[in-house]
C-alpha cells in the first residue's frame, strides 16, 4: 500500500466520522472448495452463477489448460463441488478474470486472443444450458490498445466496471465504467472522484447496492503488496477508499474481488495466506451500513 493511500485512508478507517456508506466484514473468510478450486496453484477471481451451481475462476499456473492463463469451472451437485476442468472457450493465450452477469446469461472475461484492440481485451460469452456460446469482443467503446482487466456488470445490468492502463488516466491502472444500452456499450469513462491515483486501482466489483465498490490497490503489481479497499459514491464521485479489515487483508496479497450472485451478502476474493503458496479463493459475508454522521 502506498504512503499516499495510507495517509488518505487513515481518515476513513472504521469508527471515524466520514459520511456515507460503509462496508463491514462479518466473521472470517471461508476457503472455497479446497482441493477442487483452492489448490496449491494460483486460483483467482471466483464468480458464482445466480443459482449457485456453477463456479468459474482463473489460474495462471494450473496444469491441464490450453494456455498459460486459463479459466476453470466446477459444477455443484448434491455431494459438493465436482472436479474442475478448463472451459471450452479458453484460447492458447491469456484468458482470465471471469464474471457472471447478475441474470446468469453471460460470462464476461479478459483475453489477449486475436481479434481484439490490443493487449488484454474484454470479451463475453453467452451461457447456453450447460455450455457457452462463441466469444464476442466488446469493441472499441470499451477496449483500448492497452490492457483491460476484471470486467463486472452491475446488479442492474446497466454499467460495466473494469480497469485499464490506457492513456489519460491518473497513472497505472484506473477504474472505468461503460454504460450499457441494449446490446452495446457507450464509450468508457474514468470513474469520477478521488479513487483513481498514480498507483494501480484494479480488480473491482460493485456490491449489492450497485454503488459501493470493492477494489484492489498497489503501486507496483510485482513489488508491492496488494490490498482490498472499499469506496462509497459521493455527490462528486467516489472517495479515495478505506482499507478492508484483516479478515480480507493480511500480510500478503489480496485481490480478485467479485460479488457472489448466489448470495449478494457475500463477497469472493483471492488471497495468499501462505507466503510459499499460491493464491486461494475465499468467500466472506459483508454488510453495507450508513454512517450516522453522514452528510
Amino acid at each position: 500500500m502506498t504512503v499516499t493511500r495510507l495517509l488518505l485512508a487513515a481518515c476513513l478507517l472504521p469508527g471515524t466520522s466520514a459520511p456515507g456508506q460503509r462496508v463491514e466484514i462479518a466473521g472470517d473468510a471461508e476457503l472455497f472448495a479446497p482441493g477442487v478450486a483452492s489448490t496449491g496453484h494460483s486460483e483467482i477471481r471466483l464468480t458464482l452463477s445466480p443459482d449457485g451451481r456453477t463456479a468459474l475462476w482463473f489460474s495462471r499456473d494450473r496444469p491441464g489448460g490450453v494456455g498459460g492463463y486459463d479459466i476453470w469451472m466446477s459444477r455443484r451437485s448434491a455431494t459438493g463441488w465436482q472436479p474442475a476442468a478448463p472451459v471450452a472457450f479458453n484460447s492458447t493465450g491469456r484468458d482470465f478474470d471471469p464474471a457472471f452477469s447478475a441474470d446468469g446469461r453471460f460470462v464476461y472475461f479478459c483475453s489477449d486472443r486475436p481479434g481484439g484492440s490490443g493487449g488484454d481485451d474484454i470479451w463475453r460469452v453467452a451461457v447456453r444450458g450447460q455450455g457457452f456460446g462463441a466469444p464476442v469482443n466488446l469493441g472499441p467503446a470499451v477496449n483500448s490498445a492497452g490492457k483491460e482487466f476484471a470486467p463486472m456488470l452491475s446488479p442492474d445490468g446497466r454499467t460495466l466496471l473494469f480497469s485499464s492502463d490506457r492513456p489519460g488516466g491518473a497513472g497505472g491502472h484506473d477504474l472505468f465504467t461503460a454504460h450499457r444500452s441494449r446490446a452495446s456499450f457507450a464509450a468508457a469513462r474514468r470513474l469520477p472522484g478521488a479513487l483513481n491515483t498514480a498507483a494501480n486501482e484494479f480488480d473491482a466489483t460493485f456490491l449489492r447496492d450497485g454503488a459501493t465498490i470493492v477494489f484492489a490497490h498497489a503501486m507496483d503489481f510485482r513489488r508491492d503488496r496488494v490490498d482490498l479497499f472499499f469506496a462509497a459514491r459521493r455527490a462528486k464521485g467516489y472517495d479515495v477508499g478505506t482499507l478492508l479489515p484483516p479478515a480480507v487483508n493480511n500480510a500478503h496479497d489480496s485481490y480478485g474481488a467479485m460479488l457472489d450472485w448466489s448470495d449478494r451478502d457475500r463477497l469472493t476474493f483471492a488471497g495468499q495466506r501462505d507466503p510459499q503458496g499460491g493464491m486461494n479463493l475465499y468467500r466472506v459475508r459483508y454488510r453495507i451500513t450508513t454512517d450516522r454522521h453522514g452528510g
Side-chain angles (χ1 to χ4, degrees):
M1 178 169 46
T2 66
V3 173
T4 299
R5 187 170 289 279
L6 179 60
L7 292 172
L8 290 168
C11 300
L12 294 169
L13 291 174
T16 67
S17 59
Q21 302 297 104
R22 309 195 62 77
V23 176
E24 298 176 356
I25 300 300
D28 295 327
E30 168 199 5
L31 184 66
F32 178 76
V36 175
S38 297
T39 68
H41 303 287
S42 287
E43 326 285 349
I44 304 162
R45 231 253 177 146
L46 170 66
T47 183
L48 292 155
S49 61
D51 64 7
R53 296 178 181 176
T54 303
L56 299 175
W57 66 93
F58 87 92
S59 177
R60 57 191 175 215
D61 60 4
R62 184 169 180 159
V66 297
Y69 279 53
D70 289 294
I71 296 171
W72 290 74
M73 176 174 67
S74 175
R75 305 280 193 187
R76 185 169 62 86
S77 70
T79 59
W81 291 102
Q82 299 304 298
V87 297
F89 58 87
N90 282 320
S91 71
T92 56
R94 292 160 43 99
D95 299 289
F96 60 104
D97 285 350
F100 275 104
S101 58
D103 58 11
R105 295 177 57 207
F106 293 96
V107 173
Y108 291 78
F109 69 101
C110 294
S111 180
D112 66 352
R113 66 185 64 201
S117 299
D120 298 311
D121 273 14
I122 298 175
W123 300 68
R124 75 178 184 184
V125 292
V127 177
R128 295 179 176 171
Q130 294 296 299
F132 303 96
V136 175
N137 187 279
L138 293 196
V142 171
N143 293 310
S144 72
K147 295 179 179 179
E148 280 70 50
F149 290 168
M152 191 274 183
L153 199 62
S154 60
D156 65 6
R158 296 177 180 177
T159 305
L160 183 72
L161 174 66
F162 64 98
S163 75
S164 177
D165 64 355
R166 68 188 65 190
H173 269 257
D174 286 330
L175 297 183
F176 288 78
T177 56
H179 294 288
R180 187 170 71 103
S181 176
R182 296 184 181 179
S184 63
F185 288 89
R189 295 176 178 268
R190 196 158 63 94
L191 209 66
L195 188 153
N196 287 315
T197 70
N200 291 285
E201 284 78 36
F202 62 105
D203 278 13
T205 181
F206 287 111
L207 296 184
R208 67 171 302 147
D209 65 351
T212 309
I213 287 174
V214 169
F215 66 99
H217 167 90
M219 179 58 74
D220 186 290
F221 291 134
R222 296 176 180 84
R223 186 185 64 225
D224 300 324
R225 193 180 83 200
V226 185
D227 288 310
L228 285 169
F229 290 71
F230 77 86
R233 189 169 64 193
R234 315 296 191 192
K236 295 183 179 180
Y238 282 87
D239 63 46
V240 71
T242 303
L243 185 70
L244 286 170
V248 173
N249 294 303
N250 66 356
H252 307 290
D253 289 344
S254 298
Y255 51 91
M258 180 67 194
L259 182 62
D260 181 350
W261 293 124
S262 69
D263 182 348
R264 297 188 188 189
D265 290 326
R266 200 160 52 184
L267 179 72
T268 75
F269 69 97
Q272 185 183 20
R273 296 298 188 257
D274 178 356
Q276 305 303 317
M279 301 290 289
N280 282 319
L281 302 172
Y282 293 88
R283 294 186 293 186
V284 68
R285 292 199 172 275
Y286 72 90
R287 293 186 294 266
I288 300 175
T289 61
T290 301
D291 194 316
R292 293 181 180 179
H293 301 281

